[in-house]
Amino acid sequence: TPKGTCLESVKTAIDTGYRHIDGAFVYFNEHEVGQAIREKIAEGKIKREDIFYCGKLWNTCHPPELVRPTLEKTLKILQLDYVDLYIIELPMAFKPGDAIYPRDENGKFIYHETDLCATWEAMEACKDAGLAKSIGVSNFNRRQLEMILNKPGLKHKPVSNQVECHPYFTQPKLLEFCRQHDIVIVGYSPLGTSRDETWVNVSSPPLLKDSVLNAIGKKYNKTAAQIALRFNIQRGVVVIPKSFNPQRIRENFQIFDFSLTEKEMKEIEALNKNVRYVELLM
């Protein structure tokens, strides 16, 4: 993001009423997020405990001895004493080192053998040390979740699993599995996603042009985006829409003054096409 964009967006979001902020070391803007939070605390708009900040452990930092120093680095950048949630960003690892996306001379990613259970134990230690209030995962499938849930001597189970989730990718099986284990699904790209072909499958149909979402939106005087967000909220999925547009930041928050009917929920569920916009080709 251009310098200052993230800072202003987070301040707008906090003023609007958002309290859950989803960040990551690899977004390279945690310094601005931390500054925005601290400025709003100084203004008396919020207290630290009002904010729910999620940070992420990147792929190059899976070895257990790197987990705590990586989180401490994040806290230093944010200038905060703790994060509310710290999650393993992906269930696979890159070669540890300074390169964020390590590649060989042929441009291929250099992977690193990872023991997710050992990484998880280091995450548990961060929670026990008070550096993270809760710990979770991201982009984990059922098998990877079970590996942690069935780990001998498990101290803290993952509280959440952050995955792509929207009306074209409703994740019914994973959602049901996570419900059974009291794991909250946090849905990223809840509006489909930006059409950035460097990391998005742009051949997929744009979600917000969907005729069903737009028709339901007309009934409530809401946008297709607001209907898509409301749909997930109503089925117990936490949504983290991303925007740098102040008007849309406010609009994405205006979803608590109406409810979708059971029939409408079923109509939207039927839109599922198992479309992943974020293909995670690595």
Side-chain angles (χ1 to χ4, degrees):
T1 49
K3 194 169 184 287
T5 308
C6 177
L7 172 70
E8 289 312 316
S9 298
V10 174
K11 291 199 312 199
T12 300
I14 290 172
D15 286 341
T16 301
Y18 290 84
R19 294 295 177 261
H20 175 180
I21 299 167
D22 181 74
F25 170 69
V26 289
Y27 300 166
F28 302 116
N29 55 17
E30 285 190 308
H31 57 293
E32 291 194 9
V33 178
Q35 188 186 337
I37 293 170
R38 292 192 314 276
E39 283 183 20
K40 286 294 160 190
I41 291 171
E43 271 175 36
K45 175 84 188 167
I46 48 163
K47 299 187 185 74
R48 168 64 187 95
E49 55 270 26
D50 297 333
I51 292 292
F52 186 91
Y53 186 80
C54 171
K56 303 188 183 88
L57 180 77
W58 181 239
N59 309 4
T60 53
C61 310
H62 279 210
E65 67 278 7
L66 296 180
V67 174
R68 180 167 175 160
T70 303
L71 173 51
E72 285 172 340
K73 193 170 165 186
T74 283
L75 292 173
K76 201 174 164 191
I77 293 168
L78 287 163
Q79 291 181 43
L80 297 174
D81 298 329
Y82 65 89
V83 292
D84 299 272
L85 176 62
Y86 198 53
I87 63 180
I88 300 175
E89 190 156 354
L90 282 153
M92 37 71 74
F94 287 154
K95 179 186 149 200
D98 292 335
I100 299 288
Y101 294 98
R103 294 176 191 267
D104 64 18
E105 59 280 5
N106 302 314
K108 291 216 169 10
F109 286 114
I110 306 171
Y111 296 100
H112 185 72
E113 198 159 305
T114 187
D115 175 356
L116 284 175
C117 290
T119 306
W120 187 254
E121 284 171 7
M123 296 281 286
E124 291 177 321
C126 289
K127 175 175 159 59
D128 289 339
L131 301 177
K133 298 269 189 202
S134 294
I135 50 176
V137 296
S138 180
N139 298 302
F140 274 47
N141 62 25
R142 176 180 175 152
R143 183 181 60 81
Q144 291 151 347
L145 285 168
E146 281 177 337
M147 210 155 79
I148 304 237
L149 292 170
N150 300 330
K151 186 184 90 61
L154 181 73
K155 281 181 85 175
H156 307 294
K157 65 179 200 180
V159 298
S160 61
N161 184 18
Q162 187 180 125
V163 294
E164 181 173 345
C165 190
H166 46 73
Y168 283 176
F169 195 49
T170 52
Q171 300 268 25
K173 285 182 180 166
L174 189 61
L175 185 57
E176 187 46 42
F177 175 79
C178 286
R179 273 196 188 125
Q180 288 165 4
H181 292 275
D182 291 325
I183 297 170
V184 175
I185 289 264
V186 178
Y188 67 73
S189 301
L191 304 175
T193 182
S194 66
R195 313 295 281 177
D196 179 345
E197 57 200 27
T198 58
W199 56 278
V200 170
N201 174 3
V202 287
S203 67
S204 301
L207 178 72
L208 300 183
K209 297 256 168 53
D210 187 87
S211 58
V212 173
L213 295 179
N214 281 284
I216 295 172
K218 267 204 181 73
K219 174 184 160 186
Y220 294 103
N221 198 21
K222 296 286 178 185
T223 63
Q226 288 167 319
I227 299 302
L229 295 176
R230 181 70 210 180
F231 163 72
N232 257 335
I233 292 260
Q234 261 182 242
R235 59 205 283 265
V237 173
V238 173
V239 287
I240 44 173
K242 182 192 92 173
S243 180
F244 295 109
N245 175 317
Q247 187 192 333
R248 284 206 285 271
I249 289 173
R250 289 188 278 271
E251 198 178 89
N252 289 342
F253 200 75
Q254 289 158 359
I255 58 170
F256 303 105
D257 54 355
F258 75 106
S259 281
L260 297 166
T261 65
E262 209 169 309
K263 179 173 171 286
E264 288 161 346
M265 289 293 287
K266 286 204 160 56
E267 277 174 33
I268 299 172
E269 260 164 38
L271 297 175
N272 184 35
K273 301 175 180 3
N274 284 326
V275 160
R276 268 184 203 274
Y277 289 104
V278 184
E279 293 184 307
L280 298 172
L281 297 175
M282 79 276 277

